[in-house]
Amino acid sequence: MSAARSDTRQRIQEVARELFAEKGVQRTSLQDIAARLGITKPALYYHFTSRDDLVRSIVAPLIDGGEQFVLECEQAVGLTPTRLLEGYFDYFYAHRADLVTVVSELSTIANLGLVDSMLAWRERLSRVIYGPDQTLEQAVRAVIALGGLQDCCLQFPDAPAEALRAAGVAGALAALGLD
């Protein structure tokens, strides 16, 4: 892919993120994106065949990176729950702009099959924390801890990152019953 094409794709994705945050995915048309960029709709179609293709291109790196994070956790020797939670927070904090798209348009993202991946990560990370024979209580605690930690990345946009990380990880450890 040429640098110019790559730059244009990236600009399209940036503008799409802005409009998705302002209007939502369903209420943002490809024409809206093209107009804000000052390009024609056919020029946009050169880079993305549909709105779903564009949304997928924005969210797929989040999913791919999350899958890599989970694999690394599953393969790590001696990984403590604290380190796992810190890494989980760091990952989602770094990708919070794309997480906003996911959370604000769950039905759209679910139709693309991307929510299933994120829910599967929580289940797999729960097994890393508690082992393969976790109880229902442990599984529930993991969902609360991991989902809550992920939500903290969105809920407190003005909080200093390190303070939010420390408070979030402490809360997640408490939810896991490991504080």
Side-chain angles (χ1 to χ4, degrees):
M1 186 182 307
S2 73
R5 181 161 191 244
S6 178
D7 289 346
T8 302
R9 276 181 67 86
Q10 196 169 16
R11 282 189 22 242
I12 292 168
Q13 289 170 324
E14 289 168 7
V15 167
R17 280 184 184 96
E18 291 170 12
L19 286 169
F20 293 161
E22 290 171 21
K23 300 169 62 171
V25 173
Q26 290 298 323
R27 290 179 303 284
T28 301
S29 69
L30 291 180
Q31 182 60 50
D32 294 335
I33 296 166
R36 182 162 297 179
L37 282 163
I39 64 173
T40 65
K41 193 171 173 184
L44 195 145
Y45 275 118
Y46 175 75
H47 298 279
F48 299 99
T49 59
S50 66
R51 184 179 53 206
D52 283 352
D53 184 36
L54 176 56
V55 171
R56 190 176 287 109
S57 79
I58 291 170
V59 179
L62 172 70
I63 302 301
D64 295 343
E67 182 63 28
Q68 183 62 39
F69 172 77
V70 173
L71 282 170
E72 289 171 6
C73 288
E74 289 172 331
Q75 296 169 356
V77 176
L79 179 67
T80 66
T82 300
R83 296 297 300 153
L84 182 148
L85 294 170
E86 289 170 343
Y88 192 78
F89 174 88
D90 293 345
Y91 181 75
F92 281 103
Y93 191 83
H95 293 89
R96 65 190 177 280
D98 294 332
L99 190 57
V100 168
T101 300
V102 171
V103 171
S104 66
E105 296 287 342
L106 280 178
S107 62
T108 299
I109 303 303
N111 290 339
L112 297 175
L114 301 175
V115 171
D116 293 337
S117 295
M118 295 178 75
L119 295 176
W121 297 342
R122 292 181 189 176
E123 183 180 332
R124 290 167 58 196
L125 290 173
S126 177
R127 288 194 172 100
V128 170
I129 294 166
Y130 290 119
D133 298 322
Q134 62 189 325
T135 65
L136 176 61
E137 180 182 346
Q138 289 170 327
V140 168
R141 286 175 175 269
V143 167
I144 292 167
L146 295 168
L149 193 55
Q150 188 175 319
D151 289 350
C152 285
C153 294
L154 302 177
Q155 187 71 31
F156 305 101
D158 298 326
E162 286 304 313
L164 182 58
R165 182 183 196 243
V169 169
L173 286 168
L176 292 170
L178 302 174
D179 56 342

